[in-house]
Amino acid sequence: MRRPAKNPPPTGRRSNKPRPAVAARAPAAKPYHHGDLRRVLIEAAMQLVGEGGPEAVSVREAARRAGVSPGAPFRHFPSRDALMNAVAEEAQRRFRAEIEMALADAPSGDPLGRFRCLGIAYLRWAMKNPTHFEIISSRRFFDHDRSAGVSSDNAELIGLTERMLAEAFSAGQLRIQDLKQVQIAGRALVYGFARMHIDGHLPRWGVAEAEVEQMAADIVDLFIAGIAGPAAKV
Amino acid sequence: MRRPAKNPPPTGRRSNKPRPAVAARAPAAKPYHHGDLRRVLIEAAMQLVGEGGPEAVSVREAARRAGVSPGAPFRHFPSRDALMNAVAEEAQRRFRAEIEMALADAPSGDPLGRFRCLGIAYLRWAMKNPTHFEIISSRRFFDHDRSAGVSSDNAELIGLTERMLAEAFSAGQLRIQDLKQVQIAGRALVYGFARMHIDGHLPRWGVAEAEVEQMAADIVDLFIAGIAGPAAKV
DNA sequence: TGTGAATGTAAGCGGCGATTACACGGCTTG
DNA sequence: CAAGCCGTGTAATCGCCGCTTACATTCACA
């Protein structure tokens, strides 16, 4: 948790004649007001998360990177947790975009195929953005239920899997009766693999970094094969 | 992360005639030396983990509960991380004991049954000790590879699953060829479910607290059924 | 043009991990 | 049995943290 002593050069204080435009514009002088500090703080925090994980985020460091005083962020976020919340919402936005993009390409006539596609896309994003995935997954870093956006996104995703499985069952693609069990098991599978990646378990289990993506696809396929019925062509 | 201001009563300093026994024994007076501070610190930290998760552990609070000064713990642990390491090793010891006990009851003639039994025991312990499970699972709280004990325990468990699956395959209990995929998928499944529990996802996915244990068993069975071959009676 | 709201700075509180100098006392050794 | 070493405690201190308060500056609008 120790800060690495960034040693920021004390940039000159007082400005002479800042431009009245919204965004910072003066070349050498710094305007008193930042322009869009809130946005910049979130981006700085996102970057910190990417560099050292969720706990590497400190309000002071974000302020440092934004070039403002340690107290400034508290004008925009009442607490560190609130900042983390904003970061989580941004991460969730990107995650959702990835999922939607992947599903847009999947044929609607094959629900089980779409289910598989969802699993693959889920894992692909989690593999590529482990620290951001961790933020939106693990309580501790922000309170899921405190953010309406994240919560509703999540509920939507849950409902989506439910519908997919129901359709797959209707189409005779499943041989398992209890759809809820399938849903939970599938979710546990992909979440577990993503978590193993984040938590650094995969090397210990003999999965090298280069094989990770292939293995992710393989276990999703293995799971699908395990639940697929005679009508599915897996 | 804020401490809740424990307000410890300032117990009298100087002792008169402390007993020369190893453990503290004087009724009202406190000996200068603690007796077994290391042990007590680990226990205090374990308790803190149980109360508020891994990040609720602070060296100062552990010292407070042990009734010593804030600097005392550093005689036994060079850093907070070292304390967490000791806590993790204790947790790992208990985890391993649970697994071994469960496997002792499983018939050796049914490798796939033993595999299932392992999964159930794994989940049972994780459900009952979520915060301790989190410590030994998530990097961030201690470095797995820094502890020879935890590392070897883990390697042993991994080897165990490997052997079980190989035996099950030889016995014709599996219909899947790629045993490594089965191993990773199985581990991802149980780890994912345990993580969903720890991270508070289960209620959102429609699994109430009372159903958790049953659902854990159900998804293990579902997975086993998915990989079981014609020779297995699942 | 004047003024209040928004948004920045400066200073400071208490808690934290960690280090250092010093105090105590059990144990070995002569 | 006495001496003193060394393991283990305390006290004080450092710098970083989240967060609060008082004050300064600037924008936007009447």
Side-chain angles (χ1 to χ4, degrees), chain A residues 66-140:
Chain A
V68 296
S69 71
F74 291 92
R75 293 288 177 195
H76 300 273
F77 304 98
S79 69
R80 191 195 104 114
D81 282 358
L83 172 59
M84 291 301 284
N85 220 294
V87 170
E89 284 180 358
E90 173 63 20
Q92 173 75 26
R93 206 186 51 71
R94 298 185 191 178
F95 176 58
R96 182 193 167 132
E98 174 99 357
I99 298 287
E100 281 176 351
M101 206 180 62
L103 282 182
D105 298 342
S108 62
D110 176 14
L112 192 55
R114 283 173 67 80
F115 189 67
R116 173 185 180 279
C117 187
L118 172 63
I120 302 283
Y122 184 102
L123 282 178
R124 187 176 50 233
W125 193 83
M127 298 298 111
K128 269 197 295 196
N129 310 275
T131 50
H132 295 100
F133 181 84
E134 188 175 9
I135 284 201
I136 58 179
S137 298
S138 177
R139 58 175 31 165
R140 297 216 184 291

Side-chain angles (χ1 to χ4, degrees), chain A residues 112 115-116 165 173-178 181-182 185-186 189 217-230 232-234, chain B residues 175-176 181-182 185 189 218-229 234:
Chain A
L112 192 55
F115 189 67
R116 173 185 180 279
L165 287 175
Q173 292 184 301
L174 296 182
R175 65 186 180 87
I176 309 283
Q177 302 287 334
D178 194 322
Q181 283 180 22
V182 174
L189 185 83
D218 286 344
I219 64 166
V220 170
D221 284 337
L222 185 144
F223 180 77
I224 300 280
I227 61 173
K233 59 178 187 320
V234 178
Chain B
R175 64 185 180 89
I176 309 284
Q181 283 180 22
V182 174
L189 185 83
D218 286 344
I219 66 165
V220 170
D221 284 337
L222 186 145
F223 180 76
I224 299 280
I227 61 173
V234 176

Side-chain angles (χ1 to χ4, degrees), chain B residues 76-90:
Chain B
H76 299 274
F77 303 98
S79 68
R80 192 195 101 114
D81 282 358
L83 172 59
M84 291 302 284
N85 219 293
V87 171
E89 284 179 0
E90 174 63 21

Side-chain angles (χ1 to χ4, degrees), chain B residues 88-148:
Chain B
E89 284 179 0
E90 174 63 21
Q92 173 74 26
R93 205 185 53 69
R94 299 185 190 176
F95 176 59
R96 181 192 167 134
E98 174 100 355
I99 297 288
E100 280 174 352
M101 207 180 62
L103 284 182
D105 298 342
S108 63
D110 176 14
L112 192 55
R114 282 173 67 80
F115 188 68
R116 173 184 181 281
C117 187
L118 173 62
I120 302 282
Y122 183 102
L123 283 178
R124 186 176 51 233
W125 194 82
M127 298 297 111
K128 268 197 297 196
N129 309 275
T131 50
H132 295 101
F133 181 84
E134 188 175 9
I135 283 200
I136 58 179
S137 298
S138 176
R139 59 176 29 166
R140 299 217 184 290
F141 301 122
F142 95 113
D143 184 357
H144 227 108
D145 306 320
R146 199 68 71 90
S147 161

Side-chain angles (χ1 to χ4, degrees), chain B residues 41-98:
Chain B
L41 286 170
I42 293 176
E43 272 163 23
M46 285 287 280
Q47 199 180 331
L48 284 167
V49 168
E51 290 171 15
E55 41 212 359
V57 175
S58 87
V59 176
R60 291 177 112 95
E61 179 61 21
R64 223 169 275 135
R65 296 197 175 192
V68 295
S69 71
F74 291 92
R75 292 287 177 196
H76 299 274
F77 303 98
S79 68
R80 192 195 101 114
D81 282 358
L83 172 59
M84 291 302 284
N85 219 293
V87 171
E89 284 179 0
E90 174 63 21
Q92 173 74 26
R93 205 185 53 69
R94 299 185 190 176
F95 176 59
R96 181 192 167 134
E98 174 100 355

Side-chain angles (χ1 to χ4, degrees), chain A residues 3 15 32-33 58-60 64 74-75 79-80:
Chain A
R3 283 305 122 229
S15 68
Y32 188 89
H33 286 96
S58 88
V59 176
R60 290 176 113 97
R64 225 170 274 136
F74 291 92
R75 293 288 177 195
S79 69
R80 191 195 104 114

